[in-house]
Structures are given as structure tokens and as C-alpha cells.
Amino acid sequence: SPTACNADATATTASATAKQLDHRCDARRAPLRALLRRQPPTSMSGVAPAPAAPRDASRDALGLGDRGVTNWLRVGRGLVALAHPLRTRALAALRALHVRLRAQPHGLKCAVAGDSVERTAAIEAAEAAVRDAQARYATATEEMLRIRSDPDAAGTAKADAAEVRSGAAMAVAECERALAEATKEHPACGTCDACAAIAAVHLHGTPTWGNTRASMWPSDDGWSALGKAFLGPGFGAADMRALDFAGCVTLIDMCKASPEFDELRLLLDVLKKARDTRNVVLHDGLGVVGDADLPRRMRV
């Protein structure tokens, strides 16, 4: 019956999906060394084996039965494994640079953006001022209503109470404007001593100011905000602790700080080749890598 056929089809699809997920989990757990040892299959005579039978697309929607797809996944996982030690080295160099720049007279404090600690204190003070003004306004309102409800109150007393309430309302508005100004995040000016020190260690002297929160530079964790100035546009929300392989290479390429990045920059040629592999492979529209191309990609 149609109902039974649909139930069989659903069960078949669920089983296939479970197998695909198991396959992916196994692939993710495989160590990089095992991935590097995997070579295209050949027969004992050296003749390439016959092509595999066409796969059933309905049972392998993710293409995990296709060697081109699994080769593509191997290269991707290889890049993930490679990114970990590179990220560790690159971020250590970035932290060292941050410590050195903070020790300079400017203290990495932008003349316009200021210091996040000072900014936090200013926000707290502005919030307290708003609360006080609102309390005074509430008191003035209650007093005005009390006088208005008193039939024996003089007209001048009612007018005075209304004037006091109006002044309290204006004070609330002024405090709220000050709070809005205190919470505003000012971008790096690009011209002060702190900004000039960062531009001096940028390869082209043009840090990506829009990526970074300049008020964070003087803080202990300011190395993260500092590092984003050396990445391309759009990395403002990136987590530097999880920077991918391409981001690490860009950081090493764009930051010429010496001696912090000297040893890493000696590796730039091979790192850029690996990044090119990443760009070509992971941006491939079909998501495949041929058997003949896999060893070269993995060696790079």
C-alpha cells in the first residue's frame, strides 16, 4: 500500500543518514598522520583499478561514498590540524607585541577612543547620575500633585512646584544625553602616538581600524583587539582564539613587528602556498579533490 511504501522509504532514508553521520564522525576522529598516509589505491601490477560503480545518490546525499568528496574532506581536516600549532605560535607573538607596545609612553591608549577601564567608569557614573535625576523628578512630580490637590494652596505655590518639576525633567534629559555619549564607542583616530605605533608595524602602514575596538588596546586582553587591526575587513566580530589557518597566515603576513614575528615570517612562502591550497580547495564549487591531486595538496 502507499502507506507501507512511504514507511519503508522513511526507514531507508533514516538508516542511510545514520550511516553518513557515522562515516563523518569516523573521518573527524582520524589523526592527521593517518590522513597523510592515505594514498590513491592501485593494484599490485601498478595499473589503476577499475572505476567504482556509480553510487546511489538517494542513499548518499552528502556524497561520502565518492572518493573526490572524501579527499576534499581530508584536505580540509588537514588544514584544521595545521591551524592549531600555527595559531598557538602566531597568538604568542601577538601577545608579546601587545606587551611591548603597552610599555611605551603612549600605553596603547588612543587619544580619541580612550581606555576601556576609564570608559566603564564614565558609563557607571553617567548611569548613577541618570538614576539620581529620575529620583528627583519623581519627588518633584509627587510634590506638584500634592500641592495641586490642596484647595487651600496658593496659585504661586502651584506655579513654583510645576517649575521645579520642569527643571527636574530637563535634568533627566541632560543626564540621559551624557549617558548616551559615554556609551558611544569611538573608533581609533589613526593619528595619535598609539595609532602611529600600530601603523609602524603593519606591512603597508594601513591597519584595518574598523575591525578593532581601540578602547580595549590598553587592557590586559587588548592583544585580541590589536590583532584584528592586521586582518582584512569583516573580522571585527571574529574570535582571535579560534582564528583559522588563513587568518593566521594573514596576521603573520601583515604584521612585520620585530623581533616578535621574525621567525614566523621566515615561513611565509610555504604558508602562503598552503593558504592558496586552502583557497582553491575549500572554495571549489563541487567540493572534490581528485586522487591524483590529493598527495600534492597534502604535502603542501
Side-chain angles (χ1 to χ4, degrees):
S1 68
T3 302
C5 290
N6 289 338
D8 291 342
T10 301
T12 301
T13 302
S15 176
T17 302
K19 291 180 180 179
Q20 292 162 11
L21 292 176
D22 288 342
H23 190 143
R24 293 185 69 184
C25 290
D26 290 342
R28 294 184 65 181
R29 286 193 294 264
L32 179 60
R33 187 174 300 171
L35 295 177
L36 292 171
R37 284 203 299 262
R38 293 290 293 273
Q39 297 294 333
T42 57
S43 66
M44 295 298 292
S45 62
V47 179
R55 61 184 176 86
D56 183 353
S58 64
R59 292 177 176 271
D60 187 15
L62 298 180
L64 296 178
D66 186 326
R67 278 194 61 83
V69 174
T70 55
N71 288 345
W72 184 83
L73 292 172
R74 290 189 182 100
V75 176
R77 295 306 299 174
L79 286 166
V80 170
L82 179 59
H84 176 69
L86 183 62
R87 181 169 55 244
T88 300
R89 292 281 303 279
L91 295 188
L94 178 61
R95 288 186 177 95
L97 172 63
H98 179 248
V99 170
R100 176 165 68 85
L101 293 182
R102 281 181 72 193
Q104 294 180 3
H106 51 71
L108 267 185
K109 180 179 177 180
C110 176
V112 173
D115 186 333
S116 60
V117 176
E118 296 175 356
R119 180 169 174 267
T120 299
I123 292 174
E124 291 175 351
E127 289 174 340
V130 169
R131 288 193 297 269
D132 292 343
Q134 290 172 339
R136 288 192 294 270
Y137 173 75
T139 301
T141 300
E142 291 176 0
E143 181 64 13
M144 183 192 71
L145 293 176
R146 186 190 65 77
I147 293 176
R148 283 186 175 181
S149 64
D150 184 358
D152 298 329
T156 54
K158 294 179 180 180
D160 290 343
E163 185 177 352
V164 170
R165 179 178 180 271
S166 178
M170 294 176 62
V172 170
E174 183 64 27
C175 290
E176 288 178 343
R177 283 194 292 270
L179 176 59
E181 181 63 25
T183 56
K184 186 184 299 183
E185 183 75 34
H186 295 282
C189 66
T191 57
C192 67
D193 290 345
C195 292
I198 295 173
V201 294
H202 188 280
L203 182 64
H204 304 301
T206 54
T208 312
W209 302 124
N211 274 354
T212 179
R213 290 181 59 193
S215 63
M216 294 297 296
W217 295 344
S219 68
D220 292 341
D221 294 330
W223 60 269
S224 178
L226 173 64
K228 293 177 184 180
F230 299 95
L231 303 179
F235 275 87
D239 181 0
M240 292 295 289
R241 293 176 177 83
L243 197 62
D244 69 353
F245 177 79
C248 291
V249 177
T250 300
L251 173 62
I252 296 167
D253 189 16
M254 291 295 106
C255 186
K256 63 177 184 178
S258 179
E260 291 85 5
F261 281 82
D262 285 350
E263 291 186 0
L264 287 169
R265 289 179 62 80
L266 293 175
L267 303 173
L268 264 180
D269 286 344
V270 68
L271 288 176
K272 286 182 177 181
K273 289 179 182 178
R275 183 178 62 183
D276 291 343
T277 289
R278 176 258 189 199
N279 292 339
V280 170
V281 172
L282 298 190
H283 293 171
D284 180 80
L286 299 178
V288 296
V289 172
D291 281 345
D293 199 29
L294 178 63
R296 180 174 67 89
R297 296 295 184 188
M298 296 302 280
R299 278 197 300 272
V300 173

